[in-house]
């Protein structure tokens, strides 16, 4: 390490290669941890020293060993990351560029793997398509429609294989970045952000720091609320490297950040980029950024704003219309209710909505067990049981009870008896539930008696009110009560009666829910799944994924973990945008277009050089016309000639002043 600081270039290269190869040879067969730790301590002490030349050589050595996966551990990764706080700006820039270049290297590897996905035979993803879809693609429709259906099936299969491959890779954790191994990512991001705010470096260095901070926030899902107002100062269409800055803003958004903190930045992007007087490339970039942010934080979007942005789908520029349509495609899956009805299409889940801030879905059962229950329910749907019929009767009687309490029907003796029967049946079911669950009747008798007394009082009050109203109407009019008169009276019914009716209907619903819960729990099995059940769940999942993939045409909203790992490429934010060409490039295009074209000639010269048949006009002159048509044409030309001669000497028709 001392020899690498000398002035001779060849000596420096020789010493550097000696250090790298000796450490690599030492760890070739197995890791020698004691020696590695001692050497790492030497390197780390040199790196943290104030001497810039020695620290720079130590950083270069550590980066090379880490890239070659010789020292591929957390200590080395943290030492390289801590070099971002070195007092020398050169060492800080070297550490930042290594971290950012490592992201690019990983992305290149991922793209190569995805391009060769069909050649990989390490595992066979399970894809199950419905027989109906395959039959339609091969036997139904015209040749062109069958071709389209087959292409759609191939797209769905490719997307499903890709999703299954990504999930398996995620379980094996193939993704790696030195930023993954930060011991204190929150403290590291805050310290680096404070350095960004106070540093006087050039713009490129500030952009590098900003990218690293955004990557750490997205990767570890940190909350750094001051970062978004800092970005807001630079969000202008004319800003230098604006796509890189917007990509960093997208990378720093995730579902753990409060939407109120990102909303000013989001509005700034929309107001500065997406408006009618903005350039087409700025509108396209703005819409793409809005889509990427809403993919991570859908709660930022409102229905009015979305409907305004969606109108850009009618733009004549391909980049703008494609960006607007991608926004529509996203919200068809995330929240279709925000779209206008004609833009919703046929969503897979019309009631889908984004999760509220802080909402977490906690698994309370084996994943996919509801598919198994649905499948068993469909198979045994035809098998009717007495318990099901009893429950249906309870539902019907309770529905009649609610209708009576809400005023839709007039209480009568038959209805009263029906309600009493329903209450008795509900009590019976409750008693049976208590017996099955092992709870004695004496423990719950007091509560049930109090509830029955309250319900009986409520029903009696309602019946007295209805009878008194009926008697008043009969006495006053002397005519039977019609539906129209009852509808009018129902509007002016007393408020207390409505409250009592609502309360009693809620009690009936509560009893019904308890009965259904007891029924399900009594009929459920022991809850232990066999290997056949797990295999069945796997098959049902594959069928469901195939159905969703066919309906979604290959689009699937990634999870928050996948989004945090994924790096946002600034080039994709400029998709379909035609860049302005320089004068030399335009001239080159013009000359390339002239190569296949001959020398310019006038139309008359081209006609004279023409070889071949006659033109259509020449053929018309030689066409044999009927005798009547010839005579009509001769008479017409004669009349036109006579009119022309009459107009020839009478151009001035006014009175001459000098006569």
């Amino acid at each position: 390490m001392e020899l690498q600081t000398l002035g001779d270039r060849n000596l420096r290269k020789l010493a550097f290669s000696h250090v790298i190869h000796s450490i690599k040879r030492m760890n070739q067969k197995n890791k020698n941890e004691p020696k590695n730790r001692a050497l790492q301590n030497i390197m780390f002490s040199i790196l943290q020293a104030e001497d810039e030349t020695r620290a720079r050589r130590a950083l270069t050595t550590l980066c090379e060993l880490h890239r070659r996966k010789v020292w591929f551990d957390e200590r080395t990764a943290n030492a390289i990351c801590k070099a971002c706080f070195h007092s020398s700006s050169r060492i800080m820039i070297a550490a930042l560029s290594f971290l950012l270049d490592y992201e690019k290297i990983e992305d290149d590897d991922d793209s190569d793997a995805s391009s060769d996905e069909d050649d990989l035979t390490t595992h066979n993803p399970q894809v199950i398509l419905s027989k109906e879809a395959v039959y339609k693609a091969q036997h139904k429709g015209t040749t062109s429609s069958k071709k389209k259906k087959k292409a759609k099936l191939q797209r769905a299969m490719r997307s499903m294989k890709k999703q299954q491959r990504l999930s398996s890779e995620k379980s094996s954790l193939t993704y790696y970045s030195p930023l993954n191994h930060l011991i204190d990512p929150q403290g590291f991001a805050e310290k680096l952000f404070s350095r960004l705010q106070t540093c006087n470096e050039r713009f490129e260095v500030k952009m590098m720091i900003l990218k690293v901070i955004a990557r750490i926030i997205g990767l570890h899902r940190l909350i750094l609320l001051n970062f978004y107002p800092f970005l807001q100062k630079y969000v202008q269409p004319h800003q230098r490297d604006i796509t890189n800055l917007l990509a960093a803003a997208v990378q720093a958004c995730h579902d753990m950040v409060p939407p109120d903190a990102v909303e000013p930045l989001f509005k700034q992007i929309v107001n500065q980029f997406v408006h009618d007087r903005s350039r087409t490339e700025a509108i396209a970039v703005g819409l793409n950024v809005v889509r990427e942010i809403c993919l991570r934080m859908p709660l930022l979007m409102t229905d009015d704003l979305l409907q305004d942005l969606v109108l850009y789908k009618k733009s004549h520029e391909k980049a703008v219309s494609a960006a607007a349509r991608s926004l529509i495609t996203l919200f068809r899956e995330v929240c279709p209710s925000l779209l206008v009805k004609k833009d919703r299409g046929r969503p897979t889940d019309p009631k889908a909505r984004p999760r509220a801030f802080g909402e977490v879905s906690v698994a309370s059962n084996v994943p996919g067990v509801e598919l198994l229950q649905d499948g068993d329910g469909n198979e045994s749907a035809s098998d009717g049981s007495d318990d099901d019929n009893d429950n249906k009767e309870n539902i019907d009687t309770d529905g009649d009870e609610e209708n009576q309490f809400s005023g839709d029907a007039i209480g009568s003796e038959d209805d009263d008896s029906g309600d009493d029967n329903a209450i008795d049946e509900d009590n019976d079911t409750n008693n049976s539930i208590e017996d099955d669950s092992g709870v004695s009747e004496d423990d719950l008798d007091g509560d049930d008696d109090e509830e029955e007394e309250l319900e009986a009082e409520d029903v009696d009050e309602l019946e007295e009110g209805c009878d008194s109203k009926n008697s008043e109407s009969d006495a006053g009019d002397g005519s039977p009560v019609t539906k129209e008169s009852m509808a009018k009276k129902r509007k002016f019914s007393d408020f207390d009666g409505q409250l009592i009716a609502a309360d009693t209907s809620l009690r009936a619903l509560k009893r019904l829910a308890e009965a259904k819960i007891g029924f399900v729990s009594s009929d459920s099995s022991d809850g232990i799944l066999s290997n056949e059940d797990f295999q069945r769940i796997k098959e049902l999942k594959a069928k469901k994924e195939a159905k969703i993939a066919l309906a979604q045409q290959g689009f699937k909203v990634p999870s928050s973990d996948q989004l945090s790992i994924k790096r946002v490429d600034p080039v994709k934010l400029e998709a379909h945008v035609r860049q302005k060409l320089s004068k030399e490039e335009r001239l080159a295009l013009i000359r390339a277009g002239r190569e296949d074209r001959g020398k310019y000639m006038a139309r008359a010269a081209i006609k004279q050089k023409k070889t071949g048949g006659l033109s259509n006009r020449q053929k018309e002159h030689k066409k044999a016309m009927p005798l009547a048509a010839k005579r009509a044409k001769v008479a017409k030309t004669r009349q036109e000639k006579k009119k022309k001669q009459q107009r020839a000497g009478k151009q001035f028709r006014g009175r001459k002043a000098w006569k």
Side-chain angles (χ1 to χ4, degrees):
M1 296 306 296
E2 291 291 338
L3 290 173
Q4 291 183 42
T5 60
L6 299 178
D8 191 357
R9 186 177 180 183
N10 292 327
L11 182 62
R12 286 202 307 267
K13 287 177 70 175
L14 184 64
F16 177 72
S17 62
H18 172 72
V19 170
I20 297 296
H21 290 304
S22 61
I23 295 175
K24 185 179 178 182
R25 195 163 46 249
M26 186 178 68
N27 292 283
Q28 197 164 12
K29 292 183 179 179
N30 52 4
K31 297 287 182 184
N32 194 342
E33 287 299 331
K35 283 189 178 181
N36 282 335
R37 191 169 287 273
L39 292 173
Q40 282 174 354
N41 290 336
I42 296 170
M43 289 286 187
F44 298 164
S45 61
I46 296 172
L47 180 60
Q48 292 167 5
E50 294 295 328
D51 190 356
E52 182 182 336
T53 309
R54 297 181 66 199
R56 193 174 178 187
R57 298 311 302 170
L59 179 62
T60 309
T61 307
L62 285 173
C63 291
E64 187 63 27
L65 289 169
H66 193 76
R67 189 181 283 117
R68 293 191 182 197
K69 298 188 177 181
V70 179
W71 283 355
F72 202 61
D73 55 348
E74 294 184 6
R75 293 188 75 218
T76 311
N78 274 280
I80 294 169
C81 292
K82 283 180 182 177
C84 298
F85 306 123
H86 200 276
S87 57
S88 172
S89 61
R90 285 187 177 184
I91 294 172
M92 178 188 71
I93 292 167
L96 291 170
S97 60
F98 172 75
L99 295 175
L100 293 174
D101 289 341
Y102 206 98
E103 295 287 327
K104 290 178 185 175
I105 293 165
E106 290 294 320
D107 281 352
D108 293 341
D109 294 344
D110 291 343
S111 64
D112 293 341
S114 63
S115 63
D116 298 336
E117 65 184 9
D118 296 331
D119 300 334
L120 293 174
T121 55
T122 53
H123 59 280
N124 296 320
Q126 189 176 12
V127 179
I128 300 176
L129 296 172
S130 65
K131 292 181 180 179
E132 183 184 1
V134 177
Y135 179 78
K136 283 181 179 179
Q138 293 182 356
H139 299 289
K140 282 196 173 184
T142 60
T143 308
S144 60
S145 67
K146 284 192 280 190
K147 196 173 180 181
K148 288 178 183 176
K149 289 171 189 171
K150 286 179 183 176
K152 189 177 180 181
L153 283 176
Q154 291 295 327
R155 267 201 317 272
M157 289 177 68
R158 277 201 302 271
S159 69
M160 290 165 59
K161 284 181 180 178
K162 189 175 179 183
Q163 291 295 332
Q164 290 179 7
R165 197 189 75 251
L166 286 173
S167 62
S168 64
E169 285 180 359
K170 184 186 169 188
S171 61
S172 61
L173 198 63
T174 57
Y175 174 79
Y176 175 80
S177 171
L179 298 172
N180 261 341
H181 295 295
L182 285 171
I183 296 173
D184 182 16
Q186 182 73 38
F188 183 86
E190 289 175 358
K191 195 174 177 182
L192 198 58
F193 181 57
S194 65
R195 178 155 190 175
L196 173 64
Q197 288 175 313
T198 56
C199 75
N200 295 322
E201 301 290 340
R202 60 186 189 274
F203 180 75
E204 292 87 350
V205 179
K206 286 185 177 181
M207 279 299 300
M208 291 171 71
I209 299 174
L210 195 138
K211 285 182 193 175
V212 171
I213 294 170
R215 191 74 182 107
I216 294 169
I217 291 172
L219 197 60
H220 294 277
R221 300 171 77 187
L222 307 177
I223 297 175
L224 196 65
L225 299 181
N226 295 333
F227 185 66
Y228 307 101
F230 181 82
L231 285 175
Q232 194 175 343
K233 297 186 293 184
Y234 297 99
V235 176
Q236 300 287 342
H238 55 79
Q239 175 67 43
R240 183 178 162 196
D241 286 345
I242 184 62
T243 49
N244 287 318
L245 195 137
L246 290 173
V250 171
Q251 190 76 63
C253 294
H254 54 85
D255 54 357
M256 298 299 290
V257 180
D260 299 338
V262 190
E263 191 175 3
L265 175 64
F266 183 73
K267 287 183 178 177
Q268 174 91 350
I269 292 170
V270 174
N271 294 334
Q272 291 290 335
F273 285 83
V274 190
H275 56 84
D276 295 334
R277 295 193 176 185
S278 184
R279 291 179 296 145
T280 53
E281 50 266 30
I283 296 173
V285 170
L287 287 172
N288 286 327
V289 171
V290 166
R291 183 196 68 235
E292 290 294 328
I293 291 177
C294 290
L295 183 62
R296 290 156 173 78
M297 301 178 68
L299 294 172
L300 290 171
M301 184 60 73
T302 60
D303 50 355
D304 296 333
L305 177 59
L306 182 60
Q307 287 161 21
D308 289 342
L309 297 179
V310 160
L311 292 177
Y312 283 97
K313 70 180 180 181
K314 297 180 181 178
S315 174
H316 296 294
E317 291 289 334
K318 183 183 178 183
V320 177
S321 60
R325 290 179 191 280
S326 66
L327 198 62
I328 294 172
T329 308
L330 171 66
F331 276 93
R332 278 180 181 173
E333 302 299 328
V334 175
C335 188
S337 59
L338 289 180
L339 290 166
V340 186
K341 188 176 181 182
K342 66 178 180 180
D343 292 329
R344 288 176 197 166
R346 192 181 295 169
T348 52
D349 187 7
K351 296 181 180 178
R353 63 169 187 84
R355 288 191 298 183
F357 174 65
E359 182 181 349
V360 181
S361 56
V362 180
S364 60
N365 211 334
V366 177
V369 73
E370 67 276 358
L371 296 174
L372 191 64
Q373 292 172 356
D374 293 342
D376 296 341
N378 293 332
E379 290 173 2
S380 62
S382 58
D383 301 335
S385 61
D386 296 336
D387 297 334
D388 292 340
N389 295 331
D390 292 338
N391 281 309
K392 286 179 183 176
E393 289 173 7
N394 291 338
I395 292 167
D396 294 335
T397 51
D398 288 328
D400 294 338
E401 190 179 14
E402 291 170 21
N403 290 335
Q404 179 193 2
F405 290 152
S406 62
D408 291 339
I410 301 169
S412 62
E413 293 179 358
D414 297 331
D415 291 333
D416 293 341
S417 62
D419 291 337
D420 293 335
N421 293 332
I423 292 168
D424 294 339
E425 286 176 7
D426 288 333
N427 290 332
D428 294 339
T429 55
N430 286 331
N431 292 334
S432 64
I433 293 162
E434 290 162 10
D435 294 336
D436 293 338
S437 60
V439 181
S440 63
E441 294 179 1
D442 298 334
D443 297 333
L444 300 173
D445 267 343
D447 296 331
D448 292 335
D449 292 337
E450 288 176 5
E451 286 186 1
E452 286 176 2
E453 288 172 7
L454 287 170
E455 288 168 11
E457 290 173 5
D458 295 337
V459 172
D460 291 336
E461 288 174 7
L462 280 173
E463 288 174 354
E464 289 172 7
C466 291
D467 293 335
S468 63
K469 286 178 185 176
N470 293 340
S471 61
E472 286 174 8
S473 64
D474 292 333
D477 297 333
S479 60
V481 180
T482 61
K483 290 183 179 179
E484 294 178 1
S485 62
M486 282 304 299
K488 290 178 182 177
K489 288 177 182 177
R490 214 176 288 131
K491 292 179 183 177
F492 302 104
S493 61
D494 58 321
F495 188 68
D496 296 335
Q498 288 181 359
L499 282 176
I500 295 168
D503 192 17
T504 49
S505 62
L506 283 172
R507 285 180 190 154
L509 284 172
K510 185 178 177 183
R511 287 201 313 275
L512 178 63
E514 289 173 356
K516 291 295 286 180
I517 290 168
F519 173 71
V520 170
S521 63
S522 62
D523 284 354
S524 63
S525 60
D526 53 358
I528 299 172
L529 299 176
S530 61
N531 290 333
E532 291 80 9
D533 292 334
F534 282 109
Q535 188 65 28
R536 177 73 176 151
I537 287 172
K538 196 174 180 181
E539 292 174 2
L540 290 171
K541 270 187 181 179
K543 283 184 181 178
K544 187 179 179 183
E545 285 176 3
K547 193 174 179 183
I548 291 171
L550 282 171
Q552 290 175 334
Q553 297 185 357
F555 178 76
K556 187 175 181 182
V557 179
S559 65
S560 57
D561 295 332
Q562 291 172 346
L563 287 171
S564 64
I565 290 173
K566 184 182 175 184
R567 177 180 164 269
V568 180
D569 191 2
V571 179
K572 291 182 180 178
L573 298 178
E574 296 178 320
H576 306 293
V577 174
R578 289 185 294 181
Q579 301 291 340
K580 280 190 175 182
L581 302 176
S582 63
K583 188 176 180 180
E584 292 79 10
E585 290 172 340
R586 289 200 300 272
L587 284 172
L589 282 175
I590 292 167
R591 291 194 185 101
R594 285 178 180 172
E595 288 175 357
D596 299 333
R597 195 170 62 191
K599 190 179 177 182
Y600 174 75
M601 294 176 70
R603 188 172 292 179
I606 294 171
K607 282 186 178 178
Q608 287 172 3
K609 281 193 170 186
K610 180 182 171 187
T611 57
L614 301 174
S615 65
N616 289 338
R617 188 171 291 179
Q618 290 170 341
K619 286 176 183 176
E620 282 179 5
H621 285 297
K622 290 190 174 186
K623 191 174 183 181
M625 297 177 67
L627 188 61
K630 280 183 181 180
R631 285 175 180 171
K633 191 174 182 181
V634 169
K636 189 177 180 182
T637 52
R638 191 183 295 132
Q639 288 175 4
E640 286 179 356
K641 189 182 279 187
K642 193 182 288 184
K643 286 180 181 178
K644 196 174 181 181
Q645 287 173 355
Q646 287 174 0
R647 290 196 300 267
K650 296 180 180 181
Q651 291 297 326
F652 185 76
R653 292 180 181 276
R655 184 182 296 175
K656 293 180 179 178
W658 61 85
K659 193 174 181 181

